[in-house]
């Protein structure tokens, strides 16, 4: 599926019916790759909080599984449909906007894989065979669109990744990279002259605040202090923050803290009370309440389910040689 350039856009302007329109600076997205995993695989529906003009240091591979609409990568604007498979490089601004009637919701709009530069560089150093991926990583600085055939082949791999455990995740990751490297005629999206400018993005008020939150998540974060950091009154900051993130300040921070708590729960090294305080909550009852609100179960049950899932994967792996022996 090759998408033609449907409009001329640059980092700060686009054209709308011949009229010059200013584009806002992209918002920073804080990507939490689990501590005991090499990359993050997830899915989301529509509308969703990350559906906005945003960037992040991590590489991203996104496959649209439902809806149609317009997508924006750097200075590129195009149309998308199910099967749209795009890889974006580090700090490259992007956004997919679906044609969904106001008030309607879509349970799953896309599958997403995210990994950081350090991980892939270390992998290439350990496995020289992965050097073939370097050309793809370089091309992703402008965004890369793959064929519809490649998108169709990628879906079962990415879908299995959602629930895969242990070494199976790595096998699937390598299978996906191999598929992309061998894909016929991938298309660069942003213009050759386009360059992502994370230093410039970071200067914006909201990204300064989001970066501060990410670096100080385990500390006490007061909205009054963040408003002061942004140079705004508390009421103005509250409106500004919600406009950029889609959720109120407290809800945003709680969500990040619960995600961090899930990583610590999976590691199994700390008890729940210690995790509560380590991620920034100041009392256990509030931690349990927020965890239940976001995960629909208490942290103890969530940890037990994860341990059961991991044990099941290990048992399946151990059983494979025996099954093959009697095959």
């Amino acid at each position: 599926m090759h998408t033609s350039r449907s409009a001329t856009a640059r980092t700060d302007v686009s054209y709308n019916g011949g009229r010059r329109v200013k584009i806002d600076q992209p918002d920073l997205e804080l990507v939490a790759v689990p501590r005991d995993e090499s990359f993050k695989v997830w899915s989301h529906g529509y509308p969703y909080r990350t559906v906005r003009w945003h960037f992040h240091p991590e590489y991203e591979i996104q496959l649209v599984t439902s809806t149609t609409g317009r997508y924006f990568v750097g200075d590129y604007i195009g149309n998308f449909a199910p099967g749209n498979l795009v890889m974006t490089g580090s700090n490259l601004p992007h956004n997919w906007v679906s044609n969904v009637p106001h008030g309607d919701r879509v349970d799953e709009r896309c599958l997403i894989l995210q990994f950081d530069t350090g991980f892939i560089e270390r992998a290439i150093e350990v496995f020289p065979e992965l050097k073939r991926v370097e050309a793809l990583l370089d091309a992703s600085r402008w965004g890369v669109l793959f064929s519809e055939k490649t998108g169709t082949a990628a879906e079962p791999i990415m879908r299995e990744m959602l629930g895969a455990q242990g070494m199976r995740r790595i096998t699937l990751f390598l299978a996906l990279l191999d598929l992309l490297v061998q894909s016929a005629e991938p298309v660069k999206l942003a213009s050759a002259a386009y360059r992502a400018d994370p230093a410039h993005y970071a200067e914006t008020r909201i990204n300064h605040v989001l970066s501060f939150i990410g670096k100080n998540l385990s500390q006490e974060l007061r909205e009054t202090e963040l408003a002061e950091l942004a140079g705004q009154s508390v009421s103005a900051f509250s409106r500004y923050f919600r406009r950029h993130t889609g959720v109120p300040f407290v809800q945003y921070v709680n969500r990040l803290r619960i995600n961090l708590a899930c990583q610590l729960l999976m590691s199994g090294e700390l008890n729940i009370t210690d995790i509560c305080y380590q991620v920034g909550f100041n009392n256990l009852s509030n931690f349990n309440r927020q965890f239940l609100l976001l995960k629909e179960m208490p942290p103890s049950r969530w940890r037990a389910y994860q341990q059961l899932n991991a044990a099941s994967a290990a048992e399946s792996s151990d059983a494979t040689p025996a099954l093959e022996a009697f095959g």
Side-chain angles (χ1 to χ4, degrees):
M1 179 177 62
H2 292 190
T3 307
S4 61
R5 203 171 293 273
S6 60
T8 300
R10 293 297 178 261
T11 50
D12 60 346
V13 295
S14 65
Y15 290 87
N16 183 6
R19 186 164 55 89
R20 198 169 172 87
V21 181
K22 188 172 181 62
I23 297 177
D24 289 337
Q25 291 285 7
D27 291 341
L28 171 66
E29 178 187 339
L30 300 177
V31 175
V33 177
R35 293 183 178 184
D36 59 346
E37 295 180 351
S38 304
F39 49 86
K40 179 180 180 181
V41 186
W42 57 298
S43 65
H44 70 70
Y46 189 89
Y48 192 72
R49 59 183 176 81
T50 60
V51 180
R52 64 184 192 278
W53 184 232
H54 70 283
F55 73 102
H56 42 73
E58 293 76 15
Y59 291 95
E60 177 174 300
I61 299 170
Q62 174 167 291
L63 174 66
V64 174
T65 58
S66 66
T67 76
T68 61
R70 284 188 177 272
Y71 69 114
F72 308 80
V73 176
D75 60 0
Y76 173 84
I77 303 174
N79 300 310
F80 73 83
N84 173 260
L85 178 65
V86 171
M87 180 173 180
T88 52
S90 179
N91 296 312
L92 178 62
H94 53 277
N95 190 22
W96 275 249
V97 182
S98 294
N99 297 322
V100 174
H102 182 71
D104 286 3
R105 302 193 65 84
V106 176
D107 290 335
E108 181 189 275
R109 200 274 298 271
C110 54
L111 305 174
I112 297 173
L113 167 68
Q114 294 167 321
F115 56 93
D116 64 41
T117 304
F119 158 66
I120 195 65
E121 287 179 347
R122 291 190 299 272
I124 292 171
E125 184 177 348
V126 173
F127 299 105
E129 294 86 350
L130 288 176
K131 285 188 71 68
R132 290 186 62 198
V133 177
E134 290 180 338
L136 177 62
L137 298 175
D138 183 65
S140 72
R141 291 188 293 166
W142 294 274
V144 180
L145 170 68
F146 299 94
S147 67
E148 186 174 358
K149 179 180 178 181
T150 302
T152 300
E155 181 168 358
I157 299 174
M158 296 184 71
R159 195 166 294 286
E160 185 181 348
M161 276 180 159
L162 291 173
Q165 296 284 324
M167 291 181 63
R168 182 58 181 164
R169 297 181 84 248
I170 303 299
T171 302
L172 292 167
F173 178 79
L174 294 176
L176 180 62
L177 287 186
D178 187 49
L179 174 69
L180 300 187
V181 167
Q182 297 191 54
S183 177
E185 300 181 1
V187 178
K188 285 186 180 180
L189 297 177
S191 66
Y194 184 85
R195 292 291 185 276
D197 187 4
H200 184 55
Y201 309 153
E203 293 173 1
T204 63
R205 182 182 295 165
I206 187 64
N207 291 337
H208 184 45
V209 169
L210 294 177
S211 179
F212 182 87
I213 291 172
K215 293 175 182 176
N216 296 277
L217 198 58
S218 62
Q219 308 300 314
E220 185 174 10
L221 294 168
R222 297 180 183 273
E223 191 168 14
T224 53
E225 295 172 353
L226 271 295
E228 185 177 345
L229 182 66
Q232 295 177 309
S233 67
V234 175
S235 58
F237 175 77
S238 294
R239 293 190 299 271
Y240 175 74
F241 190 91
R242 183 161 190 164
R243 184 171 72 251
H244 280 272
T245 65
V247 293
F249 170 77
V250 172
Q251 186 178 337
Y252 180 88
V253 172
N254 283 342
R255 179 180 288 155
L256 290 179
R257 285 174 168 165
I258 295 302
N259 286 341
L260 177 57
C262 287
Q263 295 181 35
L264 296 176
L265 285 166
M266 288 178 69
S267 71
E269 297 174 359
L270 298 174
N271 63 47
I272 291 174
T273 301
D274 289 339
I275 290 173
C276 160
Y277 293 109
Q278 186 157 325
V279 301
F281 286 95
N282 54 21
N283 69 78
L284 187 59
S285 61
N286 186 37
F287 170 68
N288 287 327
R289 182 166 58 252
Q290 296 300 327
F291 198 101
L292 183 63
L293 181 66
L294 288 171
K295 301 299 180 182
E296 299 182 343
M297 64 182 73
S300 56
R301 186 184 302 172
W302 193 92
R303 169 179 266 174
Y305 283 153
Q306 291 299 321
Q307 291 171 340
L308 178 65
N309 191 22
S312 175
E315 289 172 5
S316 175
S317 178
D318 291 343
T320 300
L323 291 173
E324 290 176 349
F326 289 98

